[in-house]
Amino acid sequence: MSNLQKEVERLRGERNVVANKMKGKLEPSERQRLIEEGKNLKEGLATLEEDLLKLTDELQQEAQGIPNMTHPDVPIGGEDCSVIRKKVGSPPQFGFQIKDHLQLGKELDLFDFDAAAEVSGSKFYYLKNEAVMLEMGLINWTLSEVMKKGFIPLTTPEIVRSSVVEKCGFQPRGANTQVYSIEGSDQCLIGTAEIPVGGIHMDSILAESLLPLKYAAFSHCFRTEAGAAGAATRGLYRVHQFSKVEMFVLCRPEESDLYHEELIKIEEDLFSSLGLHYKTLDMASGDLGAPAYRKFDVEAWMPGLERFGEISSASNCTDYQSRRLGIRYRPSEPSSASPKKGKANLAPPRFVHTLNATACAVPRMIVCLLENYQQEDGSVTIPEPLRPFMGGLEIIAPKSR
Amino acid sequence: MGLQSCIGGTTLQTLKLASIPTLSSSRLVSRPVQLKALTLDFFLLSRHGRSRRSPFPLLARALSAPAIAFQTETPPEEKGNAVVKPQWKAAIDFKWIRENKEAVAVNIRNRNSNANLEAVIELYDKMSNLQKEVERLRGERNVVANKMKGKLEPSERQRLIEEGKNLKEGLATLEEDLLKLTDELQQEAQGIPNMTHPDVPIGGEDCSVIRKKVGSPPQFGFQIKDHLQLGKELDLFDFDAAAEVSGSKFYYLKNEAVMLEMGLINWTLSEVMKKGFIPLTTPEIVRSSVVEKCGFQPRGANTQVYSIEGSDQCLIGTAEIPVGGIHMDSILAESLLPLKYAAFSHCFRTEAGAAGAATRGLYRVHQFSKVEMFVLCRPEESDLYHEELIKIEEDLFSSLGLHYKTLDMASGDLGAPAYRKFDVEAWMPGLERFGEISSASNCTDYQSRRLGIRYRPSEPSSASPKKGKANLAPPRFVHTLNATACAVPRMIVCLLENYQQEDGSVTIPEPLRPFMGGLEIIAPKSR
């Protein structure tokens, strides 16, 4: 493509020479010869320009599949090579036969999967009674906590153009896609608020003074979960629709490692506040999504499942998404003593770095809270921080029938 | 039965095929796949029958031919019925319709409905007759079968075998016709709108009657702004970015507007829970059949419903739909009633066909949050609960200090499912008019007959010690009602426009403050 581009430029140069020559006074035969030459150049150029366009598209096609580079500290290998960065708490000791969240939910009349299967299909659910208060409490508390850390609260569209989904590094129309598409349109449902938030500053140049931009977006998320099957997908663990508060940061490249640490710290503080037992993993190279330069996952202990389950993920996507979404910033001059202001003095725009991190994925949190805080009498205690956001509710008790 | 499964197994492909023309023309022109199969079989069987000189083909043909001929008379444009063959059956009370023909006809006229009552009655009569015929033949076939059990002369046996075979073939033909008729009847009948409460004003939109008026327009001593301008200045929404990311009529809420949304939802849920409503969150993706059963048309022209590609699922336009579906095909114990749900969900609407200045900003959007009340009750109580629902809504809006009026909507403005509908319109100073912020409908048994929701009345004075099925009263259809407790964007419009101050800030009404971390005022941000 580079070679073809040089060729095209060369021909254009020649065409300009011919055009210039034609401006002067010429012999008729000379003019005729130039006209012929001009025509040939024009046709040749048209062909080459078409080829150039095709090549550019093919190049994009191939190149877009190249994954982001990887942070040097990331362990190389498959899933089992992920490294534990931090471990907090320990599995609660129960002096009685414990139940999983599905059984607790049934007995406390908190969900309905059966009716949802009839109305919508499997992996859908209704939340009822205190579970609704739990969802609202989790969202309100989480938003409140991250707002204290300077995050701008947002709600977002949940229907977006599929091009935006692609620019964030997802593949709406691939086989086994996670993305629901809307019939008769180029729109899709979002699987995470990362997508509409990433799109806010698409094709923009931000003033450096605006960075870092920190958003906390609350949205519903929709995922087809195509290809996911098995016992681990019972109940609330893997569902097609859920509520989530997502943190999204746009910053200068030099600062993305710093904000990645800040995001994981915020997540860990949230989960510690709720008294969860969890571990933070530095995900191995084979387990990173294409956009992620580095990814930290938090897995919390779920007694009913008798294992750790992922409750959040924090990725540093460096400039992978910003190059696709076209998000840049204009660095302000460090020591601009010169009084002359003009375009010549402006530094060229640079791509921002983007990061995203789950502050709260409601269903998985509900699994954690129900299973970890269950009591022998079948009730569930509400962790302290959530109570003010649930009208003071302290305990979900079995209902008398 | 093989044919039945054909009908029930409609795939998306066949739905797409039939989506443009009405059923009547589609039968003759672009027949959905399963109908092709039926017709083919029909011809095969009747030819077979004729070759054996069955006495019945003539009768069968006489019955079916007029049915088809009849359909060509119907107008080609969509009649307000479902454009595709229904995959489910509504338990419509045909006898009642027939017995109350006049009232039903008047009702259809008053509602400007395109339903074809004559067609329904004609089809019903045909179907009844055909049913009797089928039963008669079945009887004869049983007689023959019984005779064959005894000792017979060979010639006699042979004759009976012949007779039995003829009866069987004839029966098969008629049973097919019966199935087709049943489907056609469903098709036509599903389009008949609900009856109308006697107090409902007859006529178009302007005939709606004001039931109640509360408050008065606030007096401002300064030049007021509309919600869009307030939102821009207070950095509360972003419509421009959303237009790029998603399209027009989408938006991001930012900063205090997010707190306002959360505050409104939490406060509303809390208030209606005090009134005994069970809080719910619901799926927002549902099967399209459930949408239809609630009285909406997912695939009509200018549909309000978004469909999911490659599936029979749609996005909900209101939580009424998934909540209505919870007790689909069930018989509830009477002691459970009334069942009162308050469902929080996001709602998605295409708003196809809606255009103009009145659709700027948050007034008409594709996606919004809503808390919806839904009641299932005994028929005798639905009027009562309708009054209860509108009272709850009015109390909520009065608490927020809004100036509003409640309207008893006129017959021409009721949706097909609604027996009676109360709309609340609140004063929106920026728009300089009243705008609808909620709607409360009594759907009586329209939805429950389609969703199959019944209850078992408990015996009033069952002194008899004998317990058994004989003592149980037959199940009856419940009545369903739905009412908007809070449609967030319209509430935001009201609150911003009514509570704006001269300095550009907006005060938060008292009841919401505890649900917004104590926030009292949305102030302009220093830049």
Side-chain angles (χ1 to χ4, degrees), chain B residues 291-304:
Chain B
V291 180
E292 289 165 0
K293 289 175 185 181
C294 290
F296 301 88
Q297 282 170 277
R299 290 187 166 78
N302 273 3
T303 180
Q304 278 280 11

Side-chain angles (χ1 to χ4, degrees), chain A residues 97-118:
Chain A
Q97 182 72 27
I98 61 161
K99 306 166 185 168
D100 71 359
H101 72 278
L102 266 177
Q103 195 183 350
L104 286 160
K106 208 178 176 101
E107 291 173 8
L108 294 168
D109 199 19
L110 297 177
F111 347 116
D112 192 333
F113 278 86
D114 296 333
E118 291 299 315

Side-chain angles (χ1 to χ4, degrees), chain B residues 145-378:
Chain B
N146 282 334
K147 281 189 185 160
M148 302 243 276
K149 289 181 184 160
K151 203 164 156 61
L152 298 161
E153 291 290 324
S155 60
E156 179 71 11
R157 183 166 288 276
Q158 192 54 36
R159 193 184 66 77
L160 282 177
I161 289 173
E162 281 287 326
E163 196 180 332
K165 216 184 255 181
N166 288 338
L167 284 170
K168 184 174 170 184
E169 284 166 18
L171 203 55
T173 306
L174 286 190
E175 278 169 344
E176 262 191 74
D177 285 346
L178 186 60
L179 264 161
K180 272 201 337 196
L181 259 181
T182 309
D183 285 339
E184 287 176 45
L185 178 57
Q186 268 293 311
Q187 186 70 23
E188 292 294 337
Q190 279 182 18
I192 296 180
N194 203 356
M195 293 306 289
T196 309
H197 190 292
D199 294 350
V200 167
I202 309 297
E205 209 178 319
D206 35 295
C207 294
S208 302
V209 158
I210 298 181
R211 275 171 50 101
K212 185 170 187 163
K213 207 158 185 177
V214 170
S216 54
Q219 297 303 309
F220 295 98
F222 54 94
Q223 181 74 27
I224 61 162
K225 303 166 187 167
D226 73 358
H227 72 279
L228 267 177
Q229 194 182 350
L230 286 159
K232 205 175 180 101
E233 291 173 9
L234 294 168
D235 200 19
L236 298 177
F237 349 115
D238 193 334
F239 279 86
D240 296 332
E244 290 300 314
V245 171
S246 307
S248 69
K249 298 198 186 66
F250 283 100
Y251 57 97
Y252 296 82
L253 291 184
K254 298 173 69 171
N255 296 313
E256 291 96 334
V258 176
M259 299 170 71
L260 202 43
E261 160 151 342
M262 301 308 293
L264 279 162
I265 293 163
N266 288 312
W267 171 71
T268 304
L269 275 175
S270 155
E271 287 296 295
V272 300
M273 277 167 70
K274 291 180 196 166
K275 306 259 162 68
F277 284 75
I278 299 166
L280 282 186
T281 65
T282 79
E284 289 155 13
I285 293 177
V286 297
R287 302 185 200 268
S288 54
S289 57
V290 182
V291 180
E292 289 165 0
K293 289 175 185 181
C294 290
F296 301 88
Q297 282 170 277
R299 290 187 166 78
N302 273 3
T303 180
Q304 278 280 11
V305 181
Y306 283 101
S307 292
I308 303 287
E309 198 176 273
S311 114
D312 73 335
Q313 294 166 316
C314 311
L315 295 180
I316 61 170
T318 162
E320 177 190 338
I321 298 171
V323 178
I326 293 179
H327 299 292
M328 269 195 324
D329 303 317
S330 307
I331 301 181
L332 306 168
E334 187 175 19
S335 56
L336 277 179
L337 304 180
L339 263 174
K340 295 156 66 170
Y341 293 113
F344 165 51
S345 79
H346 288 183
C347 303
F348 302 90
R349 300 188 183 187
T350 64
E351 299 294 352
T359 65
R360 260 168 50 93
L362 288 175
Y363 193 80
R364 195 174 299 280
V365 288
H366 288 305
Q367 172 191 322
F368 59 97
S369 297
K370 179 164 68 61
V371 179
E372 182 81 1
M373 294 180 284
F374 194 94
V375 176
L376 299 96
C377 66
R378 298 183 306 125

Side-chain angles (χ1 to χ4, degrees), chain A residues 136-147:
Chain A
M136 301 307 294
L138 279 162
I139 294 162
N140 288 313
W141 171 71
T142 304
L143 275 174
S144 157
E145 287 296 294
V146 300
M147 278 168 67

Side-chain angles (χ1 to χ4, degrees), chain A residues 90-401:
Chain A
S90 55
Q93 297 304 307
F94 296 98
F96 54 93
Q97 182 72 27
I98 61 161
K99 306 166 185 168
D100 71 359
H101 72 278
L102 266 177
Q103 195 183 350
L104 286 160
K106 208 178 176 101
E107 291 173 8
L108 294 168
D109 199 19
L110 297 177
F111 347 116
D112 192 333
F113 278 86
D114 296 333
E118 291 299 315
V119 172
S120 307
S122 69
K123 297 200 185 68
F124 283 99
Y125 57 97
Y126 296 82
L127 292 184
K128 298 174 72 169
N129 296 312
E130 291 94 335
V132 176
M133 298 169 71
L134 203 42
E135 162 153 339
M136 301 307 294
L138 279 162
I139 294 162
N140 288 313
W141 171 71
T142 304
L143 275 174
S144 157
E145 287 296 294
V146 300
M147 278 168 67
K148 291 179 193 165
K149 306 260 161 74
F151 284 75
I152 297 166
L154 280 186
T155 65
T156 78
E158 289 154 12
I159 294 178
V160 297
R161 301 182 200 272
S162 54
S163 56
V164 181
V165 179
E166 288 164 0
K167 289 175 185 179
C168 290
F170 302 89
Q171 281 169 285
R173 288 188 166 80
N176 270 3
T177 178
Q178 278 280 13
V179 182
Y180 284 101
S181 292
I182 304 285
E183 197 178 276
S185 111
D186 74 335
Q187 294 164 316
C188 312
L189 294 181
I190 62 171
T192 162
E194 178 190 337
I195 298 170
V197 178
I200 293 180
H201 300 292
M202 269 196 323
D203 303 317
S204 306
I205 302 179
L206 306 168
E208 187 174 19
S209 56
L210 276 178
L211 304 179
L213 262 176
K214 294 154 68 170
Y215 292 114
F218 165 52
S219 79
H220 288 182
C221 303
F222 302 90
R223 300 187 183 187
T224 64
E225 298 296 349
T233 66
R234 259 167 52 90
L236 288 175
Y237 192 81
R238 195 174 299 279
V239 287
H240 289 304
Q241 171 191 323
F242 59 98
S243 297
K244 179 164 68 63
V245 179
E246 182 80 1
M247 295 181 283
F248 194 94
V249 177
L250 298 97
C251 66
R252 298 182 308 122
E254 305 75 54
E255 298 180 327
S256 58
D257 280 338
L258 187 91
Y259 286 112
H260 199 200
E261 295 292 335
E262 179 177 311
L263 286 170
I264 191 63
K265 173 104 189 4
I266 291 174
E267 288 184 352
E268 289 166 348
D269 287 347
L270 288 170
F271 306 144
S272 294
S273 305
L274 294 179
L276 298 182
H277 166 44
Y278 64 87
K279 55 185 182 179
T280 308
L281 301 163
D282 198 345
M283 301 309 284
S285 58
D287 222 27
L288 301 171
Y293 175 70
R294 193 176 198 185
K295 188 161 90 94
F296 299 141
D297 277 8
V298 178
E299 298 188 355
W301 180 248
M302 299 178 176
L305 281 172
E306 287 173 274
R307 63 175 181 82
F308 285 92
E310 183 191 324
I311 57 168
S312 90
S313 190
S315 298
N316 179 0
C317 298
T318 63
D319 63 356
Y320 185 97
Q321 294 179 326
S322 59
R323 283 179 177 274
R324 286 154 176 73
L325 292 164
I327 310 177
R328 295 181 294 168
Y329 77 101
R330 176 94 58 191
S332 37
E333 286 307 303
S335 50
S336 191
S338 162
K340 174 166 118 185
K341 286 201 201 314
K343 210 166 184 201
N345 269 1
L346 288 174
R350 301 169 64 203
F351 286 102
V352 300
H353 277 198
T354 64
L355 303 96
N356 64 82
T358 323
C360 178
V362 171
R364 299 252 173 120
M365 294 303 280
I366 292 184
V367 172
C368 280
L369 295 178
L370 292 180
E371 295 188 355
N372 279 290
Y373 286 105
Q374 60 183 298
Q375 308 300 316
E376 187 159 12
D377 64 359
S379 62
V380 174
T381 16
I382 309 287
E384 286 265 10
L386 294 178
R387 295 177 186 185
F389 296 86
M390 290 175 66
L393 189 73
E394 296 181 2
I395 198 162
I396 303 176
K399 284 134 194 78
S400 43
R401 298 214 167 274

